[in-house]
Amino acid sequence: MNIQDTICAIATAQGGAIGTIRVSGPEAILITDRIFTPAGSSVPLAERKPYTLTFGHIKDSRGEIIDEVLVSLFRAPHSYTGEDSTEISCHGSSYILQKVMQLLIDHGCRAAGPGEYTQRAFLNGKMDLSQAEAVADLIASTSEATHRLAMNQMRGGFSRELANLRNQLLHLTSLMELELDFSDHEELEFADRSELQSLAARIEHLISRLADSFSTGNAIKNGVPVAIIGETNAGKSTLLNALVGEDRAIVSDIHGTTRDVIEDTMNIRGITFRFIDTAGIRQTSDTIEAMGIERSFKALDQAQIVILMYDLTRSLNDFRTFYEKVRPHLAHKQVVLAMNKCDAAGCLPDRLPDFIDTASGSNWHMIAISARQRLHIDRLQSLLVDLVHLPDIRQGDIIVTNIRHYEALAHALKAIRRVQDGLSANLSGDFISQDLRECIFHLNDIIGEVTTDDVLGNIFKHFCIGK
């Protein structure tokens, strides 16, 4: 990928009335001029002012008109990529768009790769790496909360928070290294250890707060994980279909039909839930079913909310045997005991079974439903919304949503805690300085100052072409 190339790409989805082609690079304006004829004027784009729209025609090598278009003109460094750029707005016909792309390539452009425009914006200093990654999150946003988080990050809120942290770390590092430079003058003291410890504690608190926000950010971005757990044929797949409003999972009276986890998402009152239908948990000699059951336990451990299916038409003793198998995995979770097939049962329980351990830190809730008849599914959805404690996202809120950022923060947190331990143990300043530099390194990795080409390639390959 050569940044000196001039690139082009279709930047709009197929099927619309209007299509846009973006051109960026050192020869973007000259190449566009070769295929574009302004209407009513002979002034080429190269001689026009930036931030203007010019109406005219795209013509092929024989002079035949391909389309009437509007061309937007941007000059470096004041463009999205920081390069000379044009945007050609034409009719949305796939034939027209491909024909214009072919003409641009014939005259010296190269088709852009995924995310290459945003990558050039990063390389040209128009944004840091965390802002560039926010562009992909903004495009993929599916709710007001995910949109606001991505917009806050793209506008530099996270970057400013990191810059503040880095400045404090650099101040702490400078004090430690001054101490090293004048270590042979015992009478000089640039900062006592208690002041350094206090500064390190403030930095540790800030990094810890950012790292801890990832669980909330991940739930907002990817959905609150809700595991549907139960015995075989308890109605788990039927409930998944009822919750998401379509036949997502196969439903059968045969025990052990679901042999793998099935996931689907749904937005309920502005909150995205990631429902996970699991294999029924029972003793089995079937190798494939056993693998599915093992995955059920993994899904159970990762879930924030657990819907525990209780088939009211079966023996309570059978449910007790099943419960004992999953009980260790329910600690400190929100658990909904969904008493299924209430339409076919007689008297409904008015309290939790005596054998359920309510002292494990789990928060238990009960609801009677009929997954097959879709009875009280709306009540279950309302209960799920009530159990989620996501904050209201306001402009300027900094919440980490990116796993790469979280991993870097986790490493930075370990480093600053080693600094605290070193200060408490009165270690030599050179050891403490090393940990301080490591902490700064990991924060720099988030904004892209020390990121390798391999990491950059992995980030931008997941972007859509044209962005």
Side-chain angles (χ1 to χ4, degrees), residues 228 234-236 238-240 242-243 307-313 336-345 348-349 366-381 383:
I228 306 173
K236 300 182 298 300
T238 305
L239 177 60
L240 174 68
L243 285 167
I307 299 177
L308 202 62
M309 297 290 287
Y310 169 26
D311 184 345
L312 288 168
T313 65
V336 177
L337 181 61
M339 299 177 292
N340 193 27
K341 305 181 184 178
C342 66
D343 55 325
L348 298 178
M366 289 176 58
I367 186 170
I369 64 168
S370 172
R372 188 181 297 276
Q373 300 299 326
R374 306 201 173 189
L375 185 64
H376 300 162
I377 298 301
D378 55 340
R379 296 184 188 177
L380 176 57
Q381 291 176 338
L383 176 59

Side-chain angles (χ1 to χ4, degrees), residues 271-288:
I271 299 174
T272 301
F273 289 90
R274 180 160 50 90
F275 294 108
I276 310 164
D277 177 23
T278 63
I281 295 173
R282 64 169 180 170
Q283 290 296 119
T284 180
S285 58
D286 187 305
T287 303
I288 302 300

Side-chain angles (χ1 to χ4, degrees), residues 15-27:
I18 302 296
T20 300
I21 293 174
R22 309 179 80 181
V23 188
S24 182
E27 295 189 333

Side-chain angles (χ1 to χ4, degrees), residues 11 112 118 166 199 245 260 289 394 424:
T118 304
R166 193 169 49 169
L199 179 55
D260 201 352
E289 187 180 356
R394 299 181 299 274
S424 297

Side-chain angles (χ1 to χ4, degrees), residues 58-301:
I58 298 293
K59 296 182 179 180
D60 63 16
S61 57
R62 295 173 296 179
E64 292 187 7
I65 295 175
I66 303 300
D67 197 15
E68 294 181 340
V69 302
L70 283 173
V71 176
S72 308
L73 180 64
F74 307 90
R75 294 189 187 277
H78 305 295
S79 71
Y80 179 77
T81 59
E83 304 171 326
D84 285 349
S85 302
T86 63
E87 292 186 0
I88 305 170
S89 298
C90 50
H91 292 93
S93 157
S94 59
Y95 168 78
I96 291 173
L97 290 168
Q98 293 299 330
K99 187 67 177 178
V100 175
M101 282 288 293
Q102 180 184 340
L103 289 170
L104 288 168
I105 291 170
D106 288 345
H107 285 85
C109 278
R110 169 175 63 78
E116 191 168 356
Y117 291 93
T118 304
Q119 184 171 358
R120 289 187 176 205
F122 163 67
L123 294 173
N124 290 326
K126 300 298 291 185
M127 58 180 71
D128 64 38
L129 192 55
S130 70
Q131 291 174 294
E133 289 169 294
V135 173
D137 288 343
L138 187 65
I139 294 170
S141 61
T142 57
S143 67
E144 181 180 355
T146 54
H147 170 268
R148 187 162 290 173
L149 284 177
M151 186 61 72
N152 287 347
Q153 185 174 321
M154 197 175 77
R155 287 178 173 175
F158 187 32
S159 302
R160 286 189 293 273
E161 191 87 359
L162 292 176
N164 175 50
L165 274 172
R166 193 169 49 169
N167 289 338
Q168 293 186 56
L169 283 164
L170 288 170
H171 178 61
L172 182 53
T173 304
S174 65
L175 291 174
M176 292 306 306
E177 294 187 352
L178 275 172
E179 184 180 280
L180 287 173
D181 289 342
F182 294 91
S183 58
D184 54 339
H185 297 275
E186 294 182 2
E187 70 279 5
L188 293 177
E189 186 178 77
F190 295 94
D192 63 38
R193 288 291 174 118
S194 62
E195 290 180 358
L196 295 175
Q197 187 71 269
S198 176
L199 179 55
R202 290 200 300 272
I203 295 171
E204 189 273 341
H205 174 74
L206 291 171
I207 297 176
S208 181
R209 178 176 58 80
L210 287 173
D212 288 345
S213 73
F214 176 69
S215 59
T216 298
N218 189 47
I220 293 172
K221 181 179 178 180
N222 298 315
V224 178
V226 181
I228 306 173
I229 300 290
E231 300 174 87
T232 58
N233 222 26
K236 300 182 298 300
S237 297
T238 305
L239 177 60
L240 174 68
N241 293 340
L243 285 167
V244 301
E246 60 177 291
D247 292 338
R248 182 69 176 82
I250 297 173
V251 175
S252 169
D253 292 332
I254 302 171
H255 289 266
T257 303
T258 303
R259 297 186 169 209
D260 201 352
V261 295
I262 300 173
E263 295 191 19
D264 208 346
T265 59
M266 183 179 183
N267 191 292
I268 305 174
R269 299 184 193 173
I271 299 174
T272 301
F273 289 90
R274 180 160 50 90
F275 294 108
I276 310 164
D277 177 23
T278 63
I281 295 173
R282 64 169 180 170
Q283 290 296 119
T284 180
S285 58
D286 187 305
T287 303
I288 302 300
E289 187 180 356
M291 292 172 63
I293 293 171
E294 182 181 347
R295 293 185 180 185
S296 296
F297 282 111
K298 290 182 180 178
L300 179 56
D301 290 335

